[in-house]
Amino acid sequence: TVTVQDITAPVITCPADVVVNCEDPSAPAATGTATATDNCDAAPVITFADVTTPGSCSGNYVITRTWTATDNCGNASSCVQTVTVQDITAPVITCPADVVMNCEDPSAPAATGTATATDNCDAAPVITFADVTTPGSCAGNYVITRTWTATDNCGNAST
């Protein structure tokens, strides 16, 4: 009696570890897929399972992607790909237009306009401002330089 058995697991090769920006896709189609060969099965089945580990903010996290190749006799082998997702892009800020006003008019942002911001990963970046007042030729003349800053939840900022 000659018994032939497939007892050898496929040889699997993982795609390289990658770093992607938080707005970029992290699916295998974008980050790479594993390949496998087997001594008896011409087309071993390749699957993956993800485990996500949060980072320091919602735009930063790590996906540990475990790839598994299984041949038609149930032999399997695995490898791990790490997909590091990072928010490295500052918000885009738009400042209100410069204004000229009379000395008795209010100079608060509610009266002069406020900045707006958008971000690739944070739907609501925080907008703050700081004023520097430069005196003019008399007490009623002065310039307020208002610096607006938009900061996303990962600490990226633009002014």
Side-chain angles (χ1 to χ4, degrees):
T1 301
V2 176
T3 304
V4 177
Q5 293 182 329
D6 180 357
I7 57 171
T8 304
V11 175
I12 188 168
T13 303
C14 266
D17 294 346
V18 294
V19 177
V20 297
N21 205 340
C22 56
E23 82 270 10
D24 294 336
S26 60
T31 61
T33 57
T35 58
T37 58
D38 187 68
N39 61 336
C40 298
D41 181 355
V45 174
I46 299 173
T47 59
F48 69 92
D50 288 349
V51 174
T52 301
T53 305
S56 59
C57 59
S58 63
N60 293 345
Y61 53 95
V62 174
I63 300 169
T64 302
R65 182 165 289 150
T66 302
W67 292 92
T68 302
T70 307
D71 67 19
N72 56 10
C73 288
N75 301 303
S77 58
S78 298
C79 63
V80 174
Q81 176 193 27
T82 301
V83 179
T84 303
V85 180
Q86 296 180 333
D87 180 356
I88 57 174
T89 304
V92 174
I93 189 168
T94 303
C95 288
D98 293 345
V99 295
V100 176
M101 50 197 285
N102 204 340
C103 62
E104 77 271 5
D105 293 339
S107 63
T112 61
T114 58
T116 58
T118 58
D119 188 67
N120 59 338
C121 302
D122 182 356
V126 174
I127 300 173
T128 59
F129 68 92
D131 289 348
V132 174
T133 302
T134 305
S137 59
C138 64
N141 292 344
Y142 53 92
V143 174
I144 300 171
T145 302
R146 183 164 288 150
T147 302
W148 293 93
T149 303
T151 306
D152 67 20
N153 59 11
C154 287
N156 301 302
S158 58
T159 57

